[in-house]
Amino acid sequence: MITLDIPGLIAAFFAAMCIPSAITGFIVWNFERKITRRDKEKEDREEARRQTMIAHEQAREAFELMIVEGTSAAIALGEATARAVQRIPDAHCNGDMHSALEYATEIKRRQKRFLSEQGIRALVEAPE
């Protein structure tokens, strides 16, 4: 038969209460650590994805700028060619050359106007 005195009984009671609490605390701490690590990895992946999207957006903007510049260069080359052909005395330019030159000039003006409007709109509606 086991006999316990009051101090032994109190010590046994505290031991019985502390061990499960310590084990439970360790398990909860371990879960929190795993959740924190998983959240950090998720944030890192999202940041990498955001950086990739920013790089793609910058590349797309640069490409669109090159397209606009290429179009402007093609129009300028066409205008220069048409004006050069018009100056040749033996060329006998017909009405198509004159109308094409007027059309190219009008398209160039419309493109400049559109880009100016877009630039002003981007300045006025700049994100905060």
Side-chain angles (χ1 to χ4, degrees):
M1 174 170 306
I2 299 177
T3 58
L4 289 177
D5 57 349
I6 301 266
L9 186 62
I10 292 174
F13 176 74
F14 280 120
M17 294 301 289
C18 291
I19 292 173
S21 296
I23 292 171
T24 303
F26 176 76
I27 291 171
V28 169
W29 171 78
N30 197 24
F31 281 146
E32 287 177 350
R33 192 174 56 123
K34 286 180 182 178
I35 290 170
T36 303
R37 187 180 329 133
R38 186 174 48 211
D39 288 346
K40 174 85 168 87
E41 289 172 357
K42 182 179 178 183
E43 288 175 4
D44 291 345
R45 282 193 309 271
E46 287 179 5
E47 178 64 25
R49 187 175 130 304
R50 187 169 52 249
Q51 292 299 327
T52 302
M53 294 298 289
I54 289 171
H56 284 297
E57 181 66 19
Q58 290 172 343
R60 186 187 63 77
E61 288 175 4
F63 180 67
E64 287 182 9
L65 179 62
M66 284 186 251
I67 289 174
V68 169
E69 289 173 343
T71 302
S72 296
I75 291 172
L77 180 62
E79 286 180 324
T81 303
R83 292 189 196 288
V85 169
Q86 285 177 348
R87 284 192 293 263
I88 298 173
D90 296 335
H92 301 296
C93 295
N94 59 14
D96 291 340
M97 180 68 79
H98 296 293
S99 63
L101 184 58
E102 290 172 12
Y103 178 69
T105 304
E106 175 60 27
I107 292 297
K108 184 172 68 173
R109 287 184 188 135
R110 285 179 29 200
Q111 185 181 30
K112 283 182 181 180
R113 187 174 55 242
F114 172 78
L115 293 173
S116 296
E117 289 172 1
Q118 293 299 311
I120 290 170
R121 186 174 296 137
L123 289 174
V124 171
E125 297 174 359
E128 306 272 330

